[in-house]
Amino acid sequence: MNPSLTYGQALVHAARGRSLPAAEARLLLQHVTGSTAAQVIAHPGRPLGPVDRLRFESLVERRAHGEPIAYLLGWREFYGRRFIVGPEVLIPRPETEGLVDAALARMPAGEPLEIADLGTGSGCVAITLALERPQARVLAIDASGDALALARRNAEALDCRLDLAENDWLSGMDERRFDLVVANPPYIAAADPHLAQGDLRFEPRHALTPGDDGLGALHAIILQAVRALRPGGWLLLEHGHDQADAVRAALAARGYSDVFTERDLAGLERISGARRPRRARTRRSA
Ligand code: GLN
């Protein structure tokens, strides 16, 4: 058997033989050969050497078995930038760009705001905010040291100044005060069948679900952030499409003001937020 193959033959093998979408097959071929999309498209007759062929076929096989394309390529684009990703972090989602937009709308440019991103994972939210608002100081928090190491690599690759802390949400950070706290916490219910489908099967479970009804992490953050926010500061949360009522109720119950929800591009209630009142309620002791 001829161990070499042309680019065009390799793409046909992946698309027809293994039923990969043509765009994914092309991305894997670009990844293996270091070619651009234009090169792959313009030169179907270019030979794929035996080593590249083996690498390509192995990636195609893994993709055919469901491994996320982002993990195979090692990156995913978010807010127009390329973030390194691996199985230690959640793959950035398009709907999370809505969380970034909601934050940027509350971050006047040029102000030295202090921001915390809880459960930073790849760092996509924290790094985007830091790059879009260079005067802000952004602290990326995660309970996973492996995730933080990846967030640090992304910050370096994107030339971004970022502070990092290994911590369980904001617990124990009693002295810190922030103008804005953002989080895309794990919010999927433990019994949700989506956990057993698609990319989610390969992503870190602790990044997807806090267990039970999926609201545990949201509640913990709502409880902790009201103390960590400066008066007037915003808490912004991504949540499941059916959790907005519960999140708004929890925010109101903890004394936040200006509670709101925004929909994502699919029209689903996806981001909720609120602010710490300018005059913080004084807690009465019983
Ligand atoms: N903050 C990261 C993101 O939005 C990771 C979130 C998570 O792991 N739940 O993609």
Side-chain angles (χ1 to χ4, degrees):
M1 188 181 74
N2 180 357
S4 86
L5 207 65
T6 65
Y7 281 17
Q9 288 167 330
L11 291 174
V12 167
H13 155 78
R16 299 229 184 101
R18 303 302 286 136
S19 303
L20 253 58
E24 289 191 357
R26 208 160 57 221
L27 281 169
L28 292 175
L29 188 62
Q30 287 170 229
H31 178 67
V32 162
T33 59
S35 312
T36 63
Q39 287 168 334
V40 167
I41 292 163
H43 303 289
R46 192 175 276 185
L48 186 65
V51 174
D52 281 354
R53 176 183 176 168
L54 278 179
R55 288 182 59 215
F56 178 71
E57 287 179 346
S58 140
L59 289 176
V60 166
E61 212 52 38
R62 288 168 63 187
R63 181 66 192 127
H65 283 99
E67 272 189 65
I69 188 88
Y71 289 160
L72 297 176
L73 298 171
W75 56 269
R76 168 59 46 94
E77 211 164 271
F78 181 81
Y79 220 86
R81 299 182 181 90
R82 199 176 267 208
F83 286 83
I84 306 162
V85 295
E88 64 272 49
V89 295
L90 193 82
I91 299 165
R93 305 288 203 272
E95 55 266 34
T96 305
E97 295 183 344
L99 181 65
V100 168
D101 284 331
L104 291 175
R106 291 164 180 83
M107 294 171 66
E111 287 193 20
L113 302 175
E114 290 192 62
I115 317 291
D117 173 32
L118 312 185
T120 200
S122 63
C124 61
V125 173
I127 291 169
T128 303
L129 294 180
L131 291 173
E132 296 292 324
R133 293 287 185 272
Q135 307 299 320
R137 180 153 197 161
V138 183
L139 175 63
I141 298 174
D142 206 290
S144 154
D146 289 342
L148 280 179
L150 193 68
R152 185 188 303 275
R153 277 176 65 202
N154 273 317
E156 283 167 4
L158 291 166
D159 207 11
C160 172
R161 189 187 69 164
L162 187 70
D163 296 329
L164 299 120
E166 190 171 331
N167 204 59
D168 188 12
W169 309 132
L170 292 160
S171 61
M173 293 189 160
D174 299 341
E175 308 304 314
R176 298 293 306 256
R177 290 291 174 271
F178 300 97
D179 300 290
L180 184 96
V181 173
V182 291
N184 173 24
Y187 55 69
I188 301 176
D192 190 321
H194 289 103
L195 288 170
Q197 294 167 16
D199 284 2
L200 281 70
R201 291 168 294 166
F202 295 85
E203 293 180 289
R205 183 140 293 231
H206 61 259
L208 292 164
T209 174
D212 300 327
D213 63 359
L215 287 165
L218 288 160
H219 280 307
I221 291 168
I222 288 168
L223 177 64
Q224 293 178 6
V226 75
R227 271 175 277 130
L229 284 167
R230 299 207 166 94
W234 287 95
L235 170 63
L236 302 173
L237 297 165
E238 182 173 327
H239 52 70
H241 64 89
D242 54 357
Q243 293 173 329
D245 282 343
V247 169
R248 283 192 301 260
L251 288 165
R254 293 289 168 196
Y256 289 83
S257 69
D258 302 84
V259 178
F260 74 94
T261 296
E262 282 177 9
R263 292 176 187 273
D264 63 18
L265 294 174
L268 303 171
E269 291 192 311
R270 181 65 65 192
I271 312 288
S272 290
R275 64 205 313 201
R276 177 175 174 168
R278 290 203 179 274
R279 287 170 170 277
R281 274 192 204 164
T282 46
R283 190 176 295 192
R284 293 207 187 126
S285 47

